[in-house]
Amino acid sequence: MTADKPLRADARRKREALLAKAREVFDAGEFFDLRFDDFASLAGVGTGTLYRHFPTREALAEAVYHGEVAALCDRARRLQATLPAAEALATFLRDMVGHIGAHAGLARTLATLMADRSGALAEGGQALEQAVTALVAAAVRDGAVRDDVGAGAVMMALHGIGAAHDRPEWRAEADDVITLVLDGLRRPQP
């Protein structure tokens, strides 16, 4: 298998315009209100460009999802490189709540659209779990976090927060859950 050929600058700009518009539409919860071809006109590109980059609605959704996961994983790495381990973990978890809140439409759309394509979502979930695992492991090494609770429990809490997004006081409750998780992870003082 050969590596994908890099895109020309104009092709890359058009692809990014499609992804940016798709993110907006997802976040507004309007993904299913549009014909697939409508994404092209909203992004200011031709339909041929849309189909060249994203032959299906699912391919567009997957690309948006993978972009979001990559940005979150990059954020985790930057935090780990610049903050003390416990602070990096806490900041990332609170950032995740903000991300879930800001992108609720994307999460609901992906869940509906990709129910039968769980492999695409699982790959992103694994990347996020690896990022959280690295943050937790660093905090354990620093002695700030107990070593008997793994990143899987943290991910489960994040999934629960995301699943409860429609609750009336979601944001405040989500912040409270993150506080509970962080308190529960803290190494007991002797």
PDB file of all heavy atoms in Angstrom, residues 17-34:
ATOM      1  N   ALA A  17     -12.440  23.403   4.210  1.00  0.00           N
ATOM      2  CA  ALA A  17     -13.707  24.158   4.194  1.00  0.00           C
ATOM      3  C   ALA A  17     -14.890  23.203   4.347  1.00  0.00           C
ATOM      4  O   ALA A  17     -15.846  23.502   5.075  1.00  0.00           O
ATOM      5  CB  ALA A  17     -13.832  24.968   2.904  1.00  0.00           C
ATOM      6  N   LEU A  18     -14.826  22.063   3.674  1.00  0.00           N
ATOM      7  CA  LEU A  18     -15.894  21.063   3.812  1.00  0.00           C
ATOM      8  C   LEU A  18     -15.969  20.546   5.254  1.00  0.00           C
ATOM      9  O   LEU A  18     -17.057  20.432   5.819  1.00  0.00           O
ATOM     10  CB  LEU A  18     -15.655  19.902   2.850  1.00  0.00           C
ATOM     11  CG  LEU A  18     -15.976  20.178   1.390  1.00  0.00           C
ATOM     12  CD1 LEU A  18     -15.313  19.144   0.488  1.00  0.00           C
ATOM     13  CD2 LEU A  18     -17.489  20.186   1.185  1.00  0.00           C
ATOM     14  N   LEU A  19     -14.827  20.253   5.835  1.00  0.00           N
ATOM     15  CA  LEU A  19     -14.814  19.750   7.212  1.00  0.00           C
ATOM     16  C   LEU A  19     -15.324  20.797   8.200  1.00  0.00           C
ATOM     17  O   LEU A  19     -16.094  20.473   9.107  1.00  0.00           O
ATOM     18  CB  LEU A  19     -13.401  19.299   7.603  1.00  0.00           C
ATOM     19  CG  LEU A  19     -12.916  18.019   6.920  1.00  0.00           C
ATOM     20  CD1 LEU A  19     -11.430  17.809   7.173  1.00  0.00           C
ATOM     21  CD2 LEU A  19     -13.721  16.824   7.373  1.00  0.00           C
ATOM     22  N   ALA A  20     -14.911  22.034   8.012  1.00  0.00           N
ATOM     23  CA  ALA A  20     -15.361  23.105   8.912  1.00  0.00           C
ATOM     24  C   ALA A  20     -16.869  23.288   8.822  1.00  0.00           C
ATOM     25  O   ALA A  20     -17.560  23.434   9.841  1.00  0.00           O
ATOM     26  CB  ALA A  20     -14.638  24.412   8.583  1.00  0.00           C
ATOM     27  N   LYS A  21     -17.402  23.281   7.628  1.00  0.00           N
ATOM     28  CA  LYS A  21     -18.852  23.446   7.465  1.00  0.00           C
ATOM     29  C   LYS A  21     -19.588  22.243   8.045  1.00  0.00           C
ATOM     30  O   LYS A  21     -20.623  22.395   8.702  1.00  0.00           O
ATOM     31  CB  LYS A  21     -19.198  23.646   5.991  1.00  0.00           C
ATOM     32  CG  LYS A  21     -20.638  23.984   5.750  1.00  0.00           C
ATOM     33  CD  LYS A  21     -21.162  25.125   6.603  1.00  0.00           C
ATOM     34  CE  LYS A  21     -20.546  26.447   6.300  1.00  0.00           C
ATOM     35  NZ  LYS A  21     -21.138  27.560   7.087  1.00  0.00           N
ATOM     36  N   ALA A  22     -19.056  21.052   7.825  1.00  0.00           N
ATOM     37  CA  ALA A  22     -19.691  19.853   8.380  1.00  0.00           C
ATOM     38  C   ALA A  22     -19.719  19.919   9.903  1.00  0.00           C
ATOM     39  O   ALA A  22     -20.728  19.582  10.519  1.00  0.00           O
ATOM     40  CB  ALA A  22     -18.961  18.597   7.909  1.00  0.00           C
ATOM     41  N   ARG A  23     -18.620  20.390  10.526  1.00  0.00           N
ATOM     42  CA  ARG A  23     -18.594  20.541  11.985  1.00  0.00           C
ATOM     43  C   ARG A  23     -19.699  21.481  12.445  1.00  0.00           C
ATOM     44  O   ARG A  23     -20.389  21.212  13.425  1.00  0.00           O
ATOM     45  CB  ARG A  23     -17.241  21.096  12.438  1.00  0.00           C
ATOM     46  CG  ARG A  23     -16.302  20.059  12.931  1.00  0.00           C
ATOM     47  CD  ARG A  23     -15.022  20.671  13.486  1.00  0.00           C
ATOM     48  NE  ARG A  23     -13.912  19.999  12.860  1.00  0.00           N
ATOM     49  CZ  ARG A  23     -13.163  20.472  11.885  1.00  0.00           C
ATOM     50  NH1 ARG A  23     -13.351  21.677  11.423  1.00  0.00           N
ATOM     51  NH2 ARG A  23     -12.207  19.759  11.369  1.00  0.00           N
ATOM     52  N   GLU A  24     -19.857  22.601  11.759  1.00  0.00           N
ATOM     53  CA  GLU A  24     -20.910  23.565  12.115  1.00  0.00           C
ATOM     54  C   GLU A  24     -22.295  22.928  12.013  1.00  0.00           C
ATOM     55  O   GLU A  24     -23.133  23.099  12.900  1.00  0.00           O
ATOM     56  CB  GLU A  24     -20.874  24.769  11.179  1.00  0.00           C
ATOM     57  CG  GLU A  24     -19.762  25.741  11.417  1.00  0.00           C
ATOM     58  CD  GLU A  24     -19.797  26.865  10.396  1.00  0.00           C
ATOM     59  OE1 GLU A  24     -20.903  27.245   9.941  1.00  0.00           O
ATOM     60  OE2 GLU A  24     -18.705  27.345  10.031  1.00  0.00           O
ATOM     61  N   VAL A  25     -22.522  22.214  10.938  1.00  0.00           N
ATOM     62  CA  VAL A  25     -23.827  21.585  10.716  1.00  0.00           C
ATOM     63  C   VAL A  25     -24.079  20.513  11.766  1.00  0.00           C
ATOM     64  O   VAL A  25     -25.176  20.403  12.309  1.00  0.00           O
ATOM     65  CB  VAL A  25     -23.918  21.012   9.284  1.00  0.00           C
ATOM     66  CG1 VAL A  25     -25.155  20.152   9.095  1.00  0.00           C
ATOM     67  CG2 VAL A  25     -23.893  22.148   8.253  1.00  0.00           C
ATOM     68  N   PHE A  26     -23.059  19.720  12.076  1.00  0.00           N
ATOM     69  CA  PHE A  26     -23.195  18.701  13.112  1.00  0.00           C
ATOM     70  C   PHE A  26     -23.548  19.345  14.444  1.00  0.00           C
ATOM     71  O   PHE A  26     -24.464  18.910  15.136  1.00  0.00           O
ATOM     72  CB  PHE A  26     -21.890  17.918  13.295  1.00  0.00           C
ATOM     73  CG  PHE A  26     -21.572  16.966  12.190  1.00  0.00           C
ATOM     74  CD1 PHE A  26     -20.264  16.638  11.931  1.00  0.00           C
ATOM     75  CD2 PHE A  26     -22.552  16.392  11.408  1.00  0.00           C
ATOM     76  CE1 PHE A  26     -19.934  15.746  10.924  1.00  0.00           C
ATOM     77  CE2 PHE A  26     -22.245  15.506  10.396  1.00  0.00           C
ATOM     78  CZ  PHE A  26     -20.924  15.183  10.160  1.00  0.00           C
ATOM     79  N   ASP A  27     -22.773  20.368  14.817  1.00  0.00           N
ATOM     80  CA  ASP A  27     -22.985  21.004  16.118  1.00  0.00           C
ATOM     81  C   ASP A  27     -24.364  21.631  16.230  1.00  0.00           C
ATOM     82  O   ASP A  27     -24.937  21.691  17.316  1.00  0.00           O
ATOM     83  CB  ASP A  27     -21.902  22.048  16.396  1.00  0.00           C
ATOM     84  CG  ASP A  27     -20.554  21.397  16.689  1.00  0.00           C
ATOM     85  OD1 ASP A  27     -20.532  20.198  17.028  1.00  0.00           O
ATOM     86  OD2 ASP A  27     -19.533  22.097  16.581  1.00  0.00           O
ATOM     87  N   ALA A  28     -24.905  22.090  15.117  1.00  0.00           N
ATOM     88  CA  ALA A  28     -26.250  22.669  15.119  1.00  0.00           C
ATOM     89  C   ALA A  28     -27.327  21.582  15.117  1.00  0.00           C
ATOM     90  O   ALA A  28     -28.511  21.883  15.252  1.00  0.00           O
ATOM     91  CB  ALA A  28     -26.424  23.581  13.910  1.00  0.00           C
ATOM     92  N   GLY A  29     -26.911  20.321  14.962  1.00  0.00           N
ATOM     93  CA  GLY A  29     -27.870  19.217  14.942  1.00  0.00           C
ATOM     94  C   GLY A  29     -28.672  19.141  13.659  1.00  0.00           C
ATOM     95  O   GLY A  29     -29.758  18.576  13.634  1.00  0.00           O
ATOM     96  N   GLU A  30     -28.136  19.687  12.570  1.00  0.00           N
ATOM     97  CA  GLU A  30     -28.868  19.760  11.308  1.00  0.00           C
ATOM     98  C   GLU A  30     -28.331  18.815  10.240  1.00  0.00           C
ATOM     99  O   GLU A  30     -28.668  18.940   9.065  1.00  0.00           O
ATOM    100  CB  GLU A  30     -28.817  21.203  10.778  1.00  0.00           C
ATOM    101  CG  GLU A  30     -29.445  22.193  11.723  1.00  0.00           C
ATOM    102  CD  GLU A  30     -29.191  23.643  11.332  1.00  0.00           C
ATOM    103  OE1 GLU A  30     -28.380  23.896  10.417  1.00  0.00           O
ATOM    104  OE2 GLU A  30     -29.813  24.514  11.962  1.00  0.00           O
ATOM    105  N   PHE A  31     -27.511  17.874  10.627  1.00  0.00           N
ATOM    106  CA  PHE A  31     -26.851  17.002   9.659  1.00  0.00           C
ATOM    107  C   PHE A  31     -27.851  16.256   8.772  1.00  0.00           C
ATOM    108  O   PHE A  31     -27.643  16.116   7.580  1.00  0.00           O
ATOM    109  CB  PHE A  31     -25.957  16.013  10.398  1.00  0.00           C
ATOM    110  CG  PHE A  31     -25.136  15.140   9.498  1.00  0.00           C
ATOM    111  CD1 PHE A  31     -24.028  15.640   8.843  1.00  0.00           C
ATOM    112  CD2 PHE A  31     -25.457  13.806   9.314  1.00  0.00           C
ATOM    113  CE1 PHE A  31     -23.261  14.838   8.011  1.00  0.00           C
ATOM    114  CE2 PHE A  31     -24.690  12.996   8.498  1.00  0.00           C
ATOM    115  CZ  PHE A  31     -23.590  13.515   7.845  1.00  0.00           C
ATOM    116  N   PHE A  32     -28.932  15.790   9.358  1.00  0.00           N
ATOM    117  CA  PHE A  32     -29.886  15.003   8.597  1.00  0.00           C
ATOM    118  C   PHE A  32     -30.912  15.868   7.876  1.00  0.00           C
ATOM    119  O   PHE A  32     -31.717  15.372   7.096  1.00  0.00           O
ATOM    120  CB  PHE A  32     -30.587  13.982   9.500  1.00  0.00           C
ATOM    121  CG  PHE A  32     -29.637  12.963  10.042  1.00  0.00           C
ATOM    122  CD1 PHE A  32     -29.284  12.954  11.378  1.00  0.00           C
ATOM    123  CD2 PHE A  32     -29.056  12.018   9.214  1.00  0.00           C
ATOM    124  CE1 PHE A  32     -28.405  12.025  11.888  1.00  0.00           C
ATOM    125  CE2 PHE A  32     -28.158  11.083   9.703  1.00  0.00           C
ATOM    126  CZ  PHE A  32     -27.828  11.085  11.039  1.00  0.00           C
ATOM    127  N   ASP A  33     -30.891  17.177   8.118  1.00  0.00           N
ATOM    128  CA  ASP A  33     -31.808  18.093   7.443  1.00  0.00           C
ATOM    129  C   ASP A  33     -31.308  18.478   6.061  1.00  0.00           C
ATOM    130  O   ASP A  33     -32.060  19.065   5.279  1.00  0.00           O
ATOM    131  CB  ASP A  33     -32.004  19.372   8.266  1.00  0.00           C
ATOM    132  CG  ASP A  33     -32.623  19.093   9.624  1.00  0.00           C
ATOM    133  OD1 ASP A  33     -33.259  18.026   9.783  1.00  0.00           O
ATOM    134  OD2 ASP A  33     -32.455  19.924  10.528  1.00  0.00           O
ATOM    135  N   LEU A  34     -30.075  18.180   5.758  1.00  0.00           N
ATOM    136  CA  LEU A  34     -29.474  18.580   4.491  1.00  0.00           C
ATOM    137  C   LEU A  34     -29.291  17.392   3.565  1.00  0.00           C
ATOM    138  O   LEU A  34     -29.038  16.277   4.013  1.00  0.00           O
ATOM    139  CB  LEU A  34     -28.092  19.192   4.741  1.00  0.00           C
ATOM    140  CG  LEU A  34     -28.017  20.446   5.595  1.00  0.00           C
ATOM    141  CD1 LEU A  34     -26.560  20.828   5.814  1.00  0.00           C
ATOM    142  CD2 LEU A  34     -28.763  21.586   4.942  1.00  0.00           C
TER     143      LEU A  34
END
